[in-house]
Amino acid sequence: LRHDRPATGGAAVTRRMGPILRDVLRTDPRLAASVVAMRLAAAVLTPLDAVALGLLVDAGLRGDARAAVAWAALLAVCDVGGSAFNHPAGKLELTLREKTNFLFERRLLRVSTAPETLEHLERPEFHDRLEQARDRSSSLGDLLVRAIALLQAVVLMGVVLFALASVHWVLLALVAAAVPAIYLGGRGEAVRVRGVERAAPSLRLADRLF
């Protein structure tokens, strides 16, 4: 809530996310570690489900009963394990989100009432920033959850790429199809954030009038 205009751009966003993530992790380190461990375990087991199924079919076609039983057991472990980790992780994420939201709400209140003078309360730009912070405080609790989901997606992608390469290395070219969507998604989010910042005075006025 500084009075100067915040820096924009990918590097600035990354710098701001670091302290926020550290604060979230400090909210409940054990809970955060449990969620990360469960999500990563599920990220490994989920794509291995398809790998085990493929190996099971191959063993069946070869008539290798012993290998078929082994791969069927692995298939069952991967299938059950993915759900067994993801479901409780989702429940724990709700608790972590609530604790994080409370932390940021308390910090927002402390920052907005900390100055000993009333000068900041007479500045429209301060109220614009305060309104944006209030609107976004609830989403800050989702930041660690989204970071965990991103880490889970990276691990899952690594296992999938390994599985594709084991079939044929040419299949790795499929990854290139995701590049435009990732790039355009990032650009679109940057445009949305700039729009929200420009609309802050009008949104605050509309809220007060309502």
Side-chain angles (χ1 to χ4, degrees):
L1 290 173
R2 296 182 307 168
H3 299 330
D4 56 335
R5 183 168 182 80
T8 58
V13 172
T14 302
R15 287 196 299 270
R16 289 197 294 264
M17 284 179 61
I20 294 174
L21 281 175
R22 285 196 297 270
D23 288 341
V24 174
L25 291 173
R26 292 183 186 131
T27 302
D28 194 329
R30 294 178 61 182
L31 181 60
S34 298
V35 172
V36 171
M38 290 181 180
R39 288 300 191 187
L40 291 183
V44 174
L45 292 175
T46 300
L48 285 181
D49 194 339
V51 175
L53 179 60
L55 294 173
L56 171 60
V57 172
D58 291 341
L61 293 175
R62 293 195 311 269
D64 189 344
R66 179 175 298 179
V69 171
W71 295 126
L74 178 61
L75 174 62
V77 170
C78 293
D79 190 42
V80 175
S83 300
F85 284 118
N86 271 326
H87 184 69
K91 299 291 186 181
L92 294 178
E93 284 173 350
L94 290 176
T95 303
L96 185 61
R97 185 184 295 114
E98 290 177 352
K99 290 186 175 183
T100 306
N101 288 342
F102 177 73
L103 171 69
F104 284 113
E105 288 286 351
R106 185 173 58 186
R107 177 170 297 175
L108 184 61
L109 179 62
R110 184 170 63 249
V111 169
S112 61
T113 58
E116 297 180 356
T117 65
L118 299 178
E119 179 186 358
H120 65 291
L121 297 177
E122 299 173 353
R123 298 170 61 94
E125 58 271 23
F126 174 83
H127 287 283
D128 292 340
R129 297 289 305 281
L130 182 63
E131 196 75 16
Q132 292 180 55
R134 284 172 176 165
D135 290 340
R136 298 178 185 179
S137 62
S138 59
S139 63
L140 291 176
D142 294 331
L143 184 59
L144 180 61
V145 174
R146 294 175 182 176
I148 293 172
L150 178 61
L151 183 60
Q152 184 182 31
V154 170
V155 174
L156 191 148
M157 179 62 70
V159 178
V160 169
L161 290 178
F162 176 78
L164 291 174
S166 65
V167 177
H168 199 287
W169 66 269
V170 176
L171 295 177
L172 295 177
L174 293 173
V175 179
V179 173
I182 295 174
Y183 173 76
L184 293 176
R187 296 281 295 181
E189 179 62 16
V191 172
R192 187 194 68 80
V193 170
R194 288 197 297 269
V196 169
E197 291 177 350
R198 287 197 300 267
S202 299
L203 292 175
R204 185 166 61 85
L205 175 60
D207 182 62
R208 294 299 177 268
L209 291 175
F210 177 78

